[in-house]
Amino acid sequence: MKVAVIGAGTMGSGIAQLCASTGHVTSLVDTSEEQLGRAATAVTSSLDRFVAKDRMTREAADRALSRLESTTDLERAVSGAQVVVESVVEDLAVKQEVLRRTVAAAPAEALLGTNTSQLSITAIGSAVPDHAHRLVGLHFFNPPVLMRLVEIVQGLVSSEEYVQRAEDFSQGLGKETVICRKDSPGFLTSRISAIVRLECLRMLEEGVASAEDIDRALRLGLNFPMGPLELGDFNGLDTYLRILTSLEGTLGERFKPTVTLRNLVAAGRLGRKTGHGIYRYDEAGRRLDDGSA
Ligand SMILES: NC(=O)c1ccc[n+]([C@@H]2O[C@H](COP(=O)([O-])OP(=O)(O)OC[C@H]3O[C@@H](n4cnc5c(N)ncnc54)[C@H](O)[C@@H]3O)[C@@H](O)[C@H]2O)c1
């Protein structure tokens, strides 16, 4: 089956790797050649790590790479695709424009998935009223190749048939699924992770403890696999700020971003992808400090 993934950032590159690794001919699209280059490097080194850990053979990794192509030509990428996964920036207008272009060039029966973290599927789909029944939230987690869940979100007019196809597709990628039947802001997961991280940022701003101790407290005391602040860096603080700003608009004041978060993003400290967020990182993404700088 041919899959097109639109947006080659933190999430899109991983989703494309997952699709190619599970046998799909995959086209990865971005507006930026530079970003496509970074995505290719990220996919190659991730596959190399799978091989080094004996979780994949060299041949399987090479086959996955041979199934994956990168392009800036969205229309060519979605042409002939049975599934299109949009994973561009968390911005309603940008997602709607990508969707309009997608339906004009993709097969009329294609499943249209959006990896939005919290935007209304119904609102995104309103850009293409005649095709909105084919649009379903396909919410992956970072990193998509490792995280077990895909959260499927049914928009007001997403059809049962396409929700079922989204579930079958996700399970074919080796994922477990939950279905959010009501198109509610932040779905089942993002509203929780956003508010937990926000409370950590508030404690940081109040000087209650260091970033490292806040993360250690949640890891060791509350059994979080990763501290919320380091996870924020891992996922991208710019994406997190967009999510909070949007959730503040839909769910209210309790999601209001902190001043520190706004300043970090304004300063270009976006997390691992820029080498500095709440913590500092080396080229390989290893943490270098305790977050106090
Ligand atoms: N980062 C996470 O942990 C995470 C987890 C789940 C879902 N999401 C969601 O996934 C989506 C992508 O997030 P991300 O973290 O990968 O963001 P990102 O900023 O890392 O990547 C977004 C990419 O989209 C590209 N893009 C922008 N406009 C485009 C267009 N018109 N056509 C093609 N490409 C375009 C950008 O060049 C960029 O490479 C967002 O909706 C986000 O909310 C993110």
Side-chain angles (χ1 to χ4, degrees):
M1 177 157 81
K2 180 178 174 187
V3 179
V5 179
I6 308 174
T10 305
M11 293 301 289
S13 59
I15 296 168
Q17 178 185 339
L18 175 66
C19 293
S21 299
T22 48
H24 301 301
V25 173
T26 307
S27 274
L28 178 60
V29 186
D30 206 284
T31 45
S32 145
E33 288 281 6
E34 204 188 340
Q35 187 59 36
L36 287 172
R38 277 195 289 268
T41 306
V43 170
T44 306
S45 43
S46 170
L47 287 169
D48 286 346
R49 283 195 298 278
F50 274 100
V51 173
K53 289 180 181 167
D54 280 334
R55 295 181 61 180
M56 197 180 221
T57 63
R58 182 76 262 164
E59 295 68 38
D62 289 343
R63 275 200 302 278
L65 278 177
S66 72
R67 286 187 207 105
L68 182 61
E69 66 143 17
S70 296
T71 177
T72 53
D73 185 342
L74 183 146
E75 280 71 19
R76 188 166 69 81
V78 303
S79 140
Q82 284 98 325
V83 177
V84 179
V85 183
E86 168 277 304
S87 190
V88 303
V89 281
E90 189 74 344
D91 180 299
L92 179 62
V94 177
K95 287 187 185 294
Q96 287 181 323
E97 181 53 23
V98 164
L99 187 59
R100 277 190 210 99
R101 288 177 60 192
T102 298
V103 298
E109 303 304 314
L111 166 66
L112 307 170
T114 171
N115 185 40
T116 179
S117 300
Q118 48 77 41
L119 290 169
S120 158
I121 309 304
T122 314
I124 298 172
S126 68
V128 289
D130 294 342
H131 304 269
H133 65 285
R134 292 196 276 142
L135 181 70
V136 176
L138 269 184
H139 184 208
F140 290 83
F141 296 82
N142 191 19
V145 284
L146 295 179
M147 297 296 282
R148 290 159 57 199
L149 184 68
V150 175
E151 181 176 37
I152 291 168
V153 188
Q154 184 163 21
L156 194 64
V157 294
S158 314
S159 78
E160 270 307 324
E161 179 197 341
Y162 279 88
V163 169
Q164 183 63 54
R165 279 181 59 183
E167 200 171 16
D168 294 344
F169 172 66
S170 305
Q171 290 172 0
L173 300 176
K175 300 302 175 191
E176 303 207 31
T177 52
V178 291
I179 304 183
C180 182
R181 290 277 177 199
K182 189 167 177 186
D183 190 3
S184 166
F187 320 133
L188 308 179
T189 53
S190 297
R191 65 194 275 180
I192 303 298
S193 64
I195 205 91
V196 169
R197 187 169 313 133
L198 187 55
E199 212 49 55
C200 293
L201 280 166
R202 288 187 186 122
M203 288 195 286
L204 189 63
E205 209 162 275
E206 289 163 14
V208 174
S210 66
E212 195 168 45
D213 272 358
I214 294 170
D215 275 340
R216 271 165 59 80
L218 273 88
R219 274 202 322 272
L220 305 181
L222 301 184
N223 230 5
F224 279 53
M226 208 172 167
L229 297 174
E230 51 183 341
L231 186 59
D233 270 359
F234 185 55
N235 291 348
L237 296 180
D238 52 339
T239 300
Y240 179 49
L241 178 58
R242 283 177 184 276
I243 290 170
L244 279 181
T245 305
S246 180
L247 287 176
E248 183 191 5
T250 49
L251 296 178
E253 179 83 1
R254 67 187 193 276
F255 285 92
K256 188 175 181 187
T258 63
V259 172
T260 307
L261 177 64
R262 289 186 190 285
N263 284 341
L264 286 170
V265 173
R269 284 174 54 175
L270 308 184
R272 272 202 212 185
K273 60 184 167 185
T274 57
H276 198 184
I278 294 166
Y279 300 101
R280 274 182 199 279
Y281 301 88
D282 68 11
E283 289 278 298
R286 280 183 299 258
R287 221 178 82 190
L288 295 174
D289 68 2
D290 63 2
S292 53

